[in-house]
Amino acid sequence: MPCHCPSCHCQLDVKSLTCECCKTEVSGCYRLPTLALLPAEDQQFILSFVRSSGSLKEMSARLKLSYPTVRNMLNDIIERIDSHEK
């Protein structure tokens, strides 16, 4: 899903949502959730992190990476989340 304008690179907002079953449409101006603004790889990392109950040790085993590397990956995601929320 595009999150930034291809012309000026500003953040895009959602203007409408449509139900595929009954075709109801809800219109307005809605901000995308912070997690939706992250790259797909970051979203996947967060899902894996939650599924491993927040255990970096389990994440490091699952990803076959060292604990410090996984910790650094999480720190990078935290920085990206912080930058989107400012």
Side-chain angles (χ1 to χ4, degrees):
M1 168 175 30
C3 297
H4 295 92
C5 174
S7 180
C8 71
H9 306 289
C10 286
Q11 181 179 323
L12 293 172
D13 291 333
V14 176
K15 186 172 181 178
S16 69
L17 300 166
T18 306
C19 175
E20 288 299 314
C21 286
C22 69
K23 306 303 180 203
T24 296
E25 185 173 311
V26 179
S27 296
C29 189
Y30 309 103
R31 288 260 175 214
L32 290 170
T34 301
L35 294 178
L37 298 172
L38 295 174
E41 309 83 52
D42 289 354
Q43 293 177 26
Q44 191 57 52
F45 181 95
I46 292 167
L47 284 173
S48 295
F49 185 65
V50 169
R51 287 184 179 124
S52 65
S53 299
S55 169
L56 290 176
K57 183 178 177 181
E58 186 176 325
M59 286 291 293
S60 104
R62 183 181 292 194
L63 297 172
K64 296 179 175 63
L65 297 170
S66 71
Y67 181 95
T69 299
V70 175
R71 180 71 235 185
N72 287 335
M73 291 169 71
L74 180 60
N75 288 341
D76 291 344
I77 292 171
I78 291 168
E79 284 182 24
R80 283 190 283 281
I81 288 171
D82 288 344
S83 73
H84 282 297
E85 291 184 339
K86 289 181 181 174

